[in-house]
């Protein structure tokens, strides 16, 4: 494969100016594995501790003694690390630059000093409304600065935030509020994206009907749109903010005190509440931000994700702010008002590092080079990517067209569960190969195993596991520690199973090949096929559903649903649309099936298990190689599916 052999060596200039060169990486990585105790205690110095830890990792992945702790005896406050400690040296430096949806509206800038005031004020509003340390606070917000203030305000007072992506439906929001028993929700009147308005407060109202735990809703006025306020439950943020102070002491937190919950999809059941704690998570976000992006003081960093996802948590907020960086927050979408928007923002705010997803690149690439070339992009020095495997074609477009051949492309592999980057090149240390996430971060011990768990050496391919704990690792599934163990540590005993497939080449470079479970990756968003199936079977006309992913040029994967209707119900185009809209309403627009095929029955084994392998092949149109169908209870089912496949 010619694509995979093409190598982009570290430019001499980067060898000189990068913080870590090839030798530096080997030393750093070697020490992190050989002597993790002293390595991590030394790394811990990058944070500002109220009480510095004397214990680094204390963990075991074995069932009999299963536990994961980092820096347990340390005390700190995460928000103070992201704000207060920079005030003396960088108080006037910009912490957040906010770019609105509409390019004709003014951007907003907050210096660290102003961020301190805003976060303290928000924290005092939360306190005034009864939020206490350990309470769960749901944040359902558009990409406005107040979303950042809300997150950091929770961290400041020790409340556990649970950010729910503003694209999720009221049903999905209600499920997440209920799962973590969250009495508080912070939202805005409306959100704006690509010139459209999203009725966030109305969605919270609809969610509240199904989420009895919810007691209080704090509403930020973002657009001035008309919303209903429920007496005794809803308050306007700006009303309460008038009467509180803009100084608020930072709560002393243990390193292992929970910082946040973030729901993510797995292969079974409802979304899991991934729990991250304070010290280890922040250390990981901060260290990986500095290493992978070679962050240097004064640089402007733009992660074009949404704070509703882990990428937004770790690389819009916690990582960059812990490092005293200037972080850009963008309210809108990449292609509105036109396909030049991203590059215009880069020029407008003189962005040095841009971090985005392959799906956005593929969508913009389809618009041709002109919208890019119409802008300067001279401020860019580094480009990052995350969320799904990047195809070499998109990689090269990013490198050649966006970066004008000057900027390293840093492909970062990681997960909600890992807190931050796990495998990624360091720009001054590693030659790049398009499509490879290159080498592990310090402390990360990746192994490739076969189905039986045998560790495969050298150049090989199999399932990716991580053999040692790292500080940014999730600590549990909220309220379901057993599910945490079963999901991640039972498949390959003693190891964390990533659910990703992976290849390692002769240079020891890692190539992530995609999920090996029933999770699909649609436009860089992780979706459990089981969730979509559950939504479909909730419909009164649906008897059974099976959902698979199939390759999609822009989205990476598209959603293909097979639906068996109840007897007596006739398939129609109208019903097909109704069912697609139904999923959209139950979960959110990102879960809308791209294709929906009516199937009188589904291919099953004699024991009744749906054969997804076959469904995937049919969806892909790869019907000549369906493999062994002899184990099917009724092989003729397949012929019907093939004949009625949706192109
Ligand atoms: C996939 C997003 C290939 C992978 C940070 C993983 C990637 C899942 C990459 C986690 C990458 C993420 N190359 N695949 N650079 N980054 N993935 O939890 O399948 O939303 O398991 O975290 O995205 O998605 P999540």
């Amino acid at each position: 494969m010619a694509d995979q052999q093409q190598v982009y060596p570290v430019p001499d200039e980067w060898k000189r100016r990068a913080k870590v060169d090839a030798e530096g990486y080997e030393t750093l990585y070697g020490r992190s594995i050989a002597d993790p105790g002293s390595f991590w205690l030394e790394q811990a110095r990058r944070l500002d501790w109220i009480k510095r830890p004397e214990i680094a990792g204390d963990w075991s992945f074995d069932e009999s003694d299963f536990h994961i702790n980092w820096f347990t005896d340390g005390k700190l406050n995460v928000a103070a690390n992201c704000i207060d400690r920079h005030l003396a040296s960088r108080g006037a430096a910009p912490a957040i630059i906010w770019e609105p949806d509409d390019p004709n509206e003014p951007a907003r800038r907050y210096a660290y000093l102003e961020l301190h005031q805003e976060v303290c004020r928000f924290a005092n509003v939360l306190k005034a409304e009864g939020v206490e340390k350990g309470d769960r606070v749901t944040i359902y917000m558009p990409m406005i600065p107040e979303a950042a203030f809300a997150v950091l305000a929770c961290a400041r007072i020790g409340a556990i935030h649970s950010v729910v992506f503003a694209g999720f439906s009221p049903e999905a929001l209600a499920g997440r509020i209920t799962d973590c028993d969250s009495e508080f929700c912070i939202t805005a009147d409306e959100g704006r994206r690509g010139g459209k308005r999203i009725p966030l407060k109305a969605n919270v109202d609809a969610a509240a009907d199904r989420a009895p735990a919810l007691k209080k809703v704090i509403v930020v006025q973002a657009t001035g749109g008309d919303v209903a306020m429920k007496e005794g439950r809803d308050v306007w943020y700006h009303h309460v903010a008038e009467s509180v102070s803009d100084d608020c002491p930072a709560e002393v937190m243990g390193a292992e005190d929970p910082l946040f919950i973030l729901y993510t999809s797995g292969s079974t059941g409802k979304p899991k509440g991934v729990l991250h704690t304070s010290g280890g998570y922040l250390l990981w976000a901060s260290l990986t931000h500095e290493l992978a992006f070679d962050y240097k003081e004064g640089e402007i960093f733009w992660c074009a994700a949404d704070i509703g996802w882990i990428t937004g948590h770790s690389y819009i907020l916690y990582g960059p702010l812990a490092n005293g960086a200037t972080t850009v927050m963008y309210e809108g979408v990449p292609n509105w008002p036109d396909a030049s928007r991203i590059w215009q923002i880069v020029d407008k705010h003189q962005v040095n590092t841009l971090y985005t997803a392959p799906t956005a690149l593929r969508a913009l690439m389809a618009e041709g080079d002109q919208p890019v070339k119409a802008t300067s992009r001279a401020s860019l020095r580094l480009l990052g990517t995350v969320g799904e495997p990047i195809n070499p074609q998109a990689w090269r477009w990013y490198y050649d067209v966006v970066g004008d051949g000057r900027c390293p492309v840093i492909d970062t592999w990681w997960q909600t569960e890992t807190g931050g980057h796990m495998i990624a090149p360091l720009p001054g240390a590693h030659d790049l190969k398009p499509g490879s996430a290159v080498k592990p971060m310090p402390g990360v011990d990746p192994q490739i195993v076969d189905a039986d768990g045998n560790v495969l050496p050298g150049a090989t391919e199999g399932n990716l596991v991580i053999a040692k704990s790292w500080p940014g690792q999730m600590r549990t599934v909220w309220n379901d520690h057993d599910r945490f163990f079963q999901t991640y540590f039972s498949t390959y005993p003693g190891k964390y199973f990533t659910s990703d497939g992976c290849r390692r080449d002769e240079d020891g470079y890692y190539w992530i090949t995609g999920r090996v479970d029933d999770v699909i990756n649609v436009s860089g968003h992780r979706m459990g096929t089981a969730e979509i199936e559950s939504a479909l079977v909730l419909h009164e006309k649906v008897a059974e559903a099976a959902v698979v992913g199939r390759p999609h040029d822009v989205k990476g994967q598209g959603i293909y649903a097979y639906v068996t209707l109840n007897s007596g119900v006739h398939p129609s185009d109208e019903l097909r649309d109704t069912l697609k809209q139904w999923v959209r309403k139950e979960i959110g627009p990102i879960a809308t099936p791209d294709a929906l095929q009516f199937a009188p029955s589904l291919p099953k084994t004699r024991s009744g298990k749906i054969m997804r392998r076959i469904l995937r092949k049919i969806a892909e149109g790869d019907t000549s190689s369906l493999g062994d169908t002899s184990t099917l209870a009724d092989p003729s089912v397949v012929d019907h599916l093939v004949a009625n496949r949706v192109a």
Side-chain angles (χ1 to χ4, degrees), residues 310-311 386-389 411-416 500 512 515 521 526:
I310 190 71
T311 308
V386 59
E388 49 177 317
D411 179 0
T412 62
W413 172 81
W414 58 296
Q415 311 176 301
T416 306
D500 275 311
I512 307 297
R515 300 286 297 201
N521 198 321
R526 185 169 153 178

Side-chain angles (χ1 to χ4, degrees), residues 501-538:
C502 182
R503 189 166 73 78
R504 187 171 48 219
D505 70 16
E506 40 305 321
D507 297 324
Y509 275 42
Y510 289 83
W511 303 73
I512 307 297
T513 52
R515 300 286 297 201
V516 294
D517 59 0
D518 290 317
V519 167
I520 56 180
N521 198 321
V522 183
S523 300
H525 298 147
R526 185 169 153 178
M527 296 289 327
T529 51
E531 264 172 276
I532 307 175
E533 290 162 4
S534 312
L536 281 165
V537 295
L538 278 179

Side-chain angles (χ1 to χ4, degrees), residues 25-63:
Y25 169 80
E26 294 304 331
T27 310
L28 201 63
Y29 186 76
R31 282 195 49 224
S32 75
I33 297 294
D35 189 4
S38 70
F39 178 83
W40 287 115
L41 286 180
E42 190 184 302
Q43 288 299 323
R45 290 172 183 270
R46 64 171 35 250
L47 300 184
D48 197 13
W49 297 88
I50 297 163
K51 179 191 174 294
R52 180 166 292 165
E54 284 163 29
I55 310 166
D58 164 21
W59 56 272
S60 161
F61 291 169
D62 293 331
E63 186 162 20

